[in-house]
Amino acid sequence: MIRQRTAVAVLGAASLLMITGCGGGGGATAEDVDFGADAAGTLSVWGFENADDVGQARLDHAAAEVSDVEVDLDATAFDAQKFTTRIASGDVPDVVQMDRRFVTTYAAQGLILPMDDCFAEHDVTPDDYWYPFVVDDVRYEDQVWGVPQFYQPPAIIVNRAVLDEAGVANEEIDTSQPDVLLEAIAKVYQESGGVPSRLGFDPVATGQAPLWILGMGGRLTDDDGVPTLDDPANIAGIEMLQQISDAQGGFAEVKSFTDSFDTFGDQNQFVAGQVGAQVNAQWYPNVLSPYVDEIDIQAVPFLDSEGNPFSVTGGQAFVIPAGAANAAAACEWLIEVTSEDAWMAAAEARAATREADGGINTGLFTGAPGPDQAIREQYVVPSGNDDFDQVIATYYDVLDYGRSFGSSPVGQEIQNELNNAVTAALLGDKTAEEALADAQAAAMRAYDNVTGG
């Protein structure tokens, strides 16, 4: 049984520096928890927000499997400052859903429990069930600290109508060959009075910055989670983004133009012919599917500097806070809500939704290869549009080429500082070296504060 409470979400990004010094709620530690105990009583779950057909089907499955547990679901959005405040005050939920970038932060401070014993109790081997690089997102000091869900890889959607007009083949949208890519961009790019009216390629420079840095041979952290933003290997990704931006009027003009896109609307950038190609996460074909009769799109993988398909992970995870009153029930519930059976129930619900609305089923990308492939085989059927089906297939094809952003106690801070560095470098305010050095200094201050370094 699920009892849902409605509340106003506390929104906004809290600085990681505010986390330092928060202690647990005085409840169970990892050593105290018997994950094999019977799952019963009330389970407090926070952050499972806005459950759609997929989320509700998984909740229903877990409720049926863990039937002696009553779930008290607070569906407001996770908030970092609110989380640490709740832990410090003793108001400790049993389960919290959050972005995986936060998980190692709380692991380093002892605010959440390691999940290894929970997995062992339920015969789950994380690296076998989930993609190992997805598990790497929540792995820290040889322990796994969260239960992952979702992994929606990026790829490049190409606008065939625009590329055909310019005489550009899909093979020329090749991120491993800058000269080939830049020549293709020049053929497609259009401007009026120095202002872009059509981009050859939108690299989504800030939103996808880690993809470019890691794909071009860089790294964001070392093996211990220490920030490495000033690694010289990170310069290549920024320099490539600089070349792509400069070929299209400069970063400021490109950013202003892309900000004007009707990304979720009837005049989105593919319908309006405003891009020849664009980096997009797997969820975006769902946005484009209602316009399948108005667009002509295909997809190609993002290629790393060696010419291999490349992807980066990202998504959410469930954690059990230190001090959780019902950690045993939390463990069993988390295993069930992320099980293959739960995902298949979700896929059935999504298929019913697509049948009702006439939309195209693009599949579910769960973070685990077993459910991903089972869902694809049973529910991802030909849409009647071969090119759109090729887009869906491309996202499935790149699933195995993922790489973790890196698990760090300051994962969110690294992301923020990297975006700041890329923006400063592309605007010409700093050299790439200066921007990365400043980002590294800021990330290290946060790291030392969080870890007591």
Side-chain angles (χ1 to χ4, degrees):
M1 178 179 183
I2 297 177
R3 188 173 69 245
Q4 181 167 324
R5 291 182 282 119
T6 303
V8 177
V10 181
L11 301 175
S15 169
L16 293 180
L17 303 182
M18 299 177 68
I19 296 172
T20 307
C22 292
T29 65
E31 291 75 17
D32 299 327
V33 175
D34 177 10
F35 286 118
D38 291 338
T42 298
L43 184 71
S44 171
V45 178
W46 174 39
F48 201 124
E49 56 176 315
N50 300 326
D52 58 4
D53 51 353
V54 169
Q56 191 59 54
R58 294 167 60 210
L59 289 172
D60 292 345
H61 170 83
E65 294 298 316
V66 194
S67 57
D68 290 336
V69 172
E70 180 181 6
V71 177
D72 182 7
L73 181 63
D74 180 350
T76 58
F78 171 78
D79 178 86
Q81 184 175 358
K82 182 179 178 181
F83 176 69
T84 52
T85 300
R86 289 185 66 169
I87 298 296
S89 68
D91 178 19
V92 184
D94 298 306
V95 172
V96 181
Q97 177 181 264
M98 62 181 64
D99 189 282
R100 292 202 286 269
R101 298 289 186 93
F102 286 110
V103 171
T104 306
T105 300
Y106 302 130
Q109 298 174 79
L111 298 184
I112 59 177
L113 299 179
M115 297 299 299
D116 302 83
D117 290 344
C118 169
F119 292 138
E121 187 63 41
H122 292 275
D123 298 320
V124 173
T125 303
D127 284 342
D128 290 343
Y129 181 68
W130 290 281
Y131 298 95
F133 41 82
V134 168
V135 181
D136 286 343
D137 284 349
V138 294
R139 197 191 315 269
Y140 180 63
E141 294 187 343
D142 297 323
Q143 292 181 295
V144 179
W145 296 84
V147 179
Q149 58 170 351
F150 298 114
Y151 155 42
Q152 294 172 308
I156 300 169
I157 298 178
V158 296
N159 193 339
R160 282 304 330 154
V162 169
L163 296 191
D164 285 344
E165 181 182 319
V168 173
N170 286 1
E171 292 75 21
E172 295 175 72
I173 309 300
D174 185 341
T175 51
S176 70
Q177 299 188 67
D179 291 345
V180 172
L181 179 60
L182 290 169
E183 185 175 343
I185 289 171
K187 293 178 183 178
V188 178
Y189 175 68
Q190 296 178 2
E191 65 175 45
S192 177
V195 177
S197 57
R198 171 178 289 175
L199 297 181
F201 179 45
D202 177 13
V204 192
T206 50
Q208 294 286 353
L211 175 69
W212 289 93
I213 299 298
L214 297 174
M216 297 303 112
R219 62 176 187 158
L220 304 182
T221 72
D222 67 13
D223 292 340
D224 296 320
V226 180
T228 57
L229 290 172
D230 59 350
D231 189 313
N234 294 342
I235 293 172
I238 293 182
E239 288 183 341
M240 190 167 178
L241 288 171
Q242 184 78 63
Q243 290 179 296
I244 292 169
S245 296
D246 288 349
Q248 303 179 102
F251 177 69
E253 294 291 349
V254 170
K255 186 67 166 59
S256 178
F257 182 50
T258 58
D259 284 349
S260 73
F261 287 170
D262 185 23
T263 301
F264 299 97
D266 294 342
Q267 287 300 308
N268 64 72
Q269 61 274 22
F270 289 92
V271 170
Q274 294 171 309
V275 293
Q278 184 182 48
V279 176
N280 291 106
Q282 180 275 330
W283 54 264
Y284 195 62
N286 291 287
V287 175
L288 295 179
S289 64
Y291 309 99
V292 66
D293 293 332
E294 302 175 51
I295 57 178
D296 182 6
I297 61 171
Q298 294 179 347
V300 297
F302 184 97
L303 301 180
D304 67 15
S305 59
E306 302 298 319
N308 301 310
F310 185 84
S311 176
V312 289
T313 61
Q316 296 170 316
F318 293 107
V319 301
I320 301 177
N326 202 352
C331 168
E332 185 168 341
W333 186 83
L334 288 177
I335 296 299
E336 290 298 338
V337 84
T338 57
S339 67
E340 184 162 337
D341 286 343
W343 285 116
M344 293 307 290
E348 182 179 2
R350 175 53 53 87
T353 299
R354 290 288 82 91
E355 184 177 358
D357 64 19
I360 296 173
N361 193 331
T362 63
L364 297 178
F365 288 63
T366 69
D372 282 351
Q373 292 308 312
I375 291 167
R376 183 184 189 185
E377 291 171 6
Q378 185 166 347
Y379 292 107
V380 182
V381 298
S383 68
N385 184 303
D386 291 344
D387 285 343
F388 201 91
D389 292 344
Q390 186 269 345
V391 172
I392 297 171
T394 298
Y395 282 99
Y396 273 104
D397 290 345
V398 302
L399 275 170
D400 290 333
Y401 297 96
R403 178 176 167 185
S404 173
F405 292 117
S407 174
S408 173
V410 287
Q412 195 66 44
E413 193 75 3
I414 288 171
Q415 171 69 47
N416 294 340
E417 292 302 331
L418 177 61
N419 282 338
N420 291 340
V422 169
T423 300
L426 297 189
L427 286 173
D429 296 337
K430 301 176 184 178
T431 66
E433 293 88 342
E434 291 169 342
L436 289 171
D438 289 346
Q440 175 70 6
M444 281 305 303
R445 286 193 295 272
Y447 181 86
D448 290 341
N449 211 330
V450 169
T451 63

